[in-house]
Amino acid sequence: MARLLGDRGDTVVISGLGSATYDLAAAGDTDRNFYLWGAMGGAAVMGLGLALARPDVPVLVLTGDGEMLMGMGSFSTIALQAPRNLTIAVLDNGLYGETGGQPSHTGAAHGAARTDLLAVARGCGIGDARHVTDEAALDALAARLRDGGDGPCVALIPVDPAEAERVLPLRDAVLMRGRTRVALGLEAGV
């Protein structure tokens, strides 16, 4: 996470439920982090909304395989809208970590019937769907995040399913909304 966000510049990061949020917080809390607590399946579409509203701002959605499985339909809308400034990084541990560690549909426990989220993204029309399995691919993803691309990007990043120490970030949604709005040059709002 630290390597991906090392040169994030003005990027706004929306993190999904669970370890994506803990990992983002562990990499350092900023006003441009928006931790989406308890809205499983909603991070990608929230990122789409922000990317469309602010095409001048790089947007990274940081989510897990379980959440992305619940929001797979968002790939179709993202492909149709095609924001150049949207990157979705799916941290795939093959588990539903927040509900007890059950194998997810991307996990090896499902054998040949497992769901390939990159194939789903491509099938929905997202041309830049990549598998990040080494440091060079991670550096390329960080560069794409910083420099933009020709359309949205979905990156699948396999991660260790072991439970890591949790860094719990801010949970006050009103405060997060206000600080992120201010970071984007808007009024905090009510």
Side-chain angles (χ1 to χ4, degrees):
M1 194 60 50
R3 189 171 186 151
L4 179 61
L5 298 175
D7 186 20
R8 72 185 277 177
D10 292 337
T11 301
V12 173
V13 184
I14 298 169
S15 64
L17 181 67
S19 61
T21 287
Y22 310 143
D23 291 350
L24 177 60
D29 183 46
T30 78
D31 291 350
R32 288 180 174 262
N33 289 357
F34 193 93
Y35 310 106
L36 192 57
W37 289 96
M40 193 164 180
V45 291
M46 184 173 176
L48 171 63
L50 180 57
L52 293 173
R54 293 297 301 267
D56 58 315
V57 174
V59 176
L60 171 63
V61 171
L62 188 61
T63 190
D65 53 304
E67 178 172 355
M68 203 62 246
L69 285 162
M70 291 193 76
M72 282 193 302
S74 62
F75 284 150
S76 293
T77 304
I78 290 165
L80 182 65
Q81 295 297 316
R84 302 169 67 99
N85 59 326
L86 179 61
T87 303
I88 301 168
V90 181
L91 305 176
D92 187 356
N93 64 2
L95 300 172
Y96 291 104
E98 289 301 294
T99 61
Q102 305 87 347
S104 80
H105 295 70
T106 66
H110 297 284
R114 73 179 192 85
T115 301
D116 180 342
L117 288 172
L118 291 179
V120 172
R122 287 183 193 112
C124 289
I126 296 175
D128 187 353
R130 55 179 84 178
H131 204 191
V132 177
T133 58
D134 58 30
E135 291 183 15
L138 187 61
D139 289 342
L141 181 61
R144 192 264 181 225
L145 180 61
R146 180 184 61 247
D147 302 334
D150 294 332
C153 171
V154 173
L156 186 75
I157 306 171
V159 296
D160 186 342
E163 183 73 27
E165 184 177 336
R166 294 180 178 187
V167 175
L168 297 176
L170 182 65
R171 290 187 80 133
D172 185 326
V174 175
L175 181 61
M176 277 191 300
R177 182 192 67 196
R179 76 179 197 159
T180 302
R181 287 180 56 85
V182 169
L184 290 168
L186 304 169
E187 291 185 21
V190 200

